[in-house]
Amino acid sequence: MSNLIDLKEKFFIAGSKGMVGSAIKRTLIENGYGNNKIGGEILGPSREELDLTDFTTLKSWFKKNNPSVVIIAAAKVGGIYANSNLPFDFILENLKIQNNLIELSWEFGVKRLLFLGSSCIYPKNCPQPISEEYLLSSQLESTNEYYAIAKIAGIKLCESLRKQHQFDSICLMPTNLYGPGDNYHPLNSHVIPALIRKFFNGKSEGSKFVECWGSGNPLREFLFVDDLASACVFALEKWAPNNNGSSPCWINIGSDYELSIKDVAMKISKQIGYKGEIIWNSDMPDGTPRKKLNTTRINNLGWVAKTDLDKGLELTIKEYKKYYLKS
């Protein structure tokens, strides 16, 4: 089977400086893309260089640069605290970014578009593991529903363009991501970077205990960011859903394991060498009790995640020590 893209493509990675975007760029280069000698190119302007929420500015950029493949890895993201306290910011900014990018990709005849969503698009209490068909089947998790609604709107915009205009847009729904380049903000980070920061601080300060949010009981699936990047390149090369809507234009990307937040905390504290007690603050929200994706569709196409959690944590903690610890 021949690839749906070739080495001469001009890629535009929106969000190329973030954890996901930078991993995708690395993986594209490793697979031979972006080689100027054969006509390939990878464009990734920073937020300061290009405001994705400004339609007029972005339209001028598309007209000047004319990318053939667009990857939407740009988004306003954060953990439970940020999602719960900044709902307007999360829904409006994400809608602006993705609407502008998707509409202009269609208007300027982009060959393939890849939109990255999130597993939080699925209902809070839907059957497990979660299949693509469960989208919009019941109520969302309240702690991140504004972000989820924005992502669902992006999926439906891509789906409608496929149906009405045969525009080649695909959507990947990754599970909880972690890895080098993550956000370690004390309030706005996701669970793994938040725990890494907490345990390093606890170790350096000699704390007798570290307090973690929630009960620690929810089950979670995690995916190393480089595995997501490999899935993105694989999907761009190989996956072509039907335009008639007989199969979803979104596909789940996940790993083959899940474990409790308590177990994740134990793994991280052990790798960091923190010896104190772990205390769980059950006054803080847990979020969805379980969230395991069904990845049968992508696995049957030939892609599987390769990085186990212990190895992924080792690589992530190594990067944190190198770039974030105070000397």
Side-chain angles (χ1 to χ4, degrees):
M1 178 182 176
S2 60
N3 287 346
L4 298 168
I5 58 173
D6 60 53
L7 298 180
K8 295 181 180 180
E9 306 291 356
K10 180 185 281 191
F11 291 87
F12 171 27
I13 305 175
S16 67
K17 309 303 181 184
M19 176 179 72
V20 173
S22 58
I24 293 172
K25 183 176 181 179
R26 288 195 303 270
T27 304
L28 283 171
I29 293 170
E30 289 169 2
N31 284 272
Y33 295 100
N35 186 344
N36 294 329
K37 294 180 180 179
I38 59 172
E41 192 172 358
I42 300 175
L43 304 171
S46 67
R47 186 178 304 177
E48 292 73 26
E49 294 168 328
L50 181 63
D51 182 0
L52 301 176
T53 66
D54 185 328
F55 185 86
T56 302
T57 299
L58 190 57
K59 185 173 183 177
S60 297
W61 187 94
F62 265 82
K63 186 175 182 180
K64 177 182 178 181
N65 291 281
N66 196 30
S68 60
V69 178
V70 172
I71 300 170
I72 304 178
K76 182 175 181 59
V77 298
I80 285 179
Y81 180 89
N83 273 274
S84 298
N85 287 276
L86 302 170
F88 175 78
D89 295 3
F90 273 86
I91 192 168
L92 183 63
E93 187 169 335
N94 282 302
L95 283 172
K96 283 183 176 181
I97 290 169
Q98 64 202 35
N99 288 354
N100 290 348
L101 287 165
I102 294 168
E103 181 181 353
L104 288 170
S105 293
W106 165 63
E107 182 178 333
F108 282 87
V110 164
K111 180 178 177 180
R112 299 213 85 189
L113 177 139
L114 188 154
F115 172 66
L116 282 168
S118 166
S119 59
C120 72
I121 64 166
Y122 295 112
K124 178 178 182 177
N125 295 313
C126 65
Q128 306 278 329
I130 304 168
S131 297
E132 286 85 355
E133 290 77 11
Y134 296 155
L135 180 65
L136 297 176
S137 61
S138 61
Q139 189 171 352
L140 295 166
E141 159 60 37
S142 61
T143 55
N144 58 19
E145 67 175 323
Y146 297 92
Y147 176 77
I149 288 170
K151 288 297 182 181
I152 292 168
I155 295 168
K156 290 301 180 180
L157 185 55
C158 289
E159 182 183 51
S160 64
L161 278 168
R162 290 193 74 90
K163 288 182 178 181
Q164 186 174 337
H165 296 289
Q166 293 72 56
F167 178 63
D168 191 0
S169 53
I170 57 175
C171 310
L172 271 58
M173 300 300 117
T175 190
N176 302 284
L177 298 170
Y178 72 101
D182 213 334
N183 169 28
Y184 296 93
H185 189 277
L187 294 177
N188 297 336
S189 58
H190 289 111
V191 59
I192 284 183
L195 290 171
I196 289 173
R197 187 179 187 277
K198 280 177 182 285
F199 287 120
F200 265 119
N201 286 348
K203 181 181 179 182
S204 65
E205 295 166 4
S207 302
K208 292 182 179 180
F209 68 89
V210 164
E211 181 183 284
C212 298
W213 288 4
S215 67
N217 295 323
L219 296 172
R220 288 292 181 269
E221 170 186 24
F222 293 96
L223 184 69
F224 190 59
V225 69
D226 285 50
D227 284 341
L228 171 61
S230 74
C232 290
V233 176
F234 177 89
L236 284 168
E237 291 180 340
K238 304 296 184 184
W239 181 44
N242 297 323
N243 285 335
N244 61 14
S246 60
S247 63
C249 69
W250 63 97
I251 196 165
N252 291 339
I253 310 296
S255 58
D256 61 355
Y257 62 86
E258 65 176 335
L259 68 170
S260 71
I261 300 297
K262 281 184 178 177
D263 288 337
V264 178
M266 291 296 295
K267 283 180 176 291
I268 292 173
S269 64
K270 184 177 180 180
Q271 283 206 26
I272 289 172
Y274 175 71
K275 305 295 185 183
E277 185 181 359
I278 302 174
I279 295 176
W280 294 91
N281 182 355
S282 57
D283 290 334
M284 301 302 290
D286 270 337
T288 304
R290 186 188 181 203
K291 192 167 59 172
K292 178 72 178 78
L293 293 181
N294 183 334
T295 58
T296 300
R297 287 179 67 212
I298 190 73
N299 297 155
N300 286 345
L301 290 171
W303 179 90
V304 292
K306 296 179 179 179
T307 310
D308 65 46
L309 184 60
D310 289 325
K311 181 61 177 178
L313 288 175
E314 179 186 332
L315 293 169
T316 307
I317 289 169
K318 182 179 179 181
E319 191 234 17
Y320 183 87
K321 289 169 70 174
K322 182 177 180 180
Y323 292 107
Y324 298 97
L325 283 188
K326 295 178 181 178
S327 56

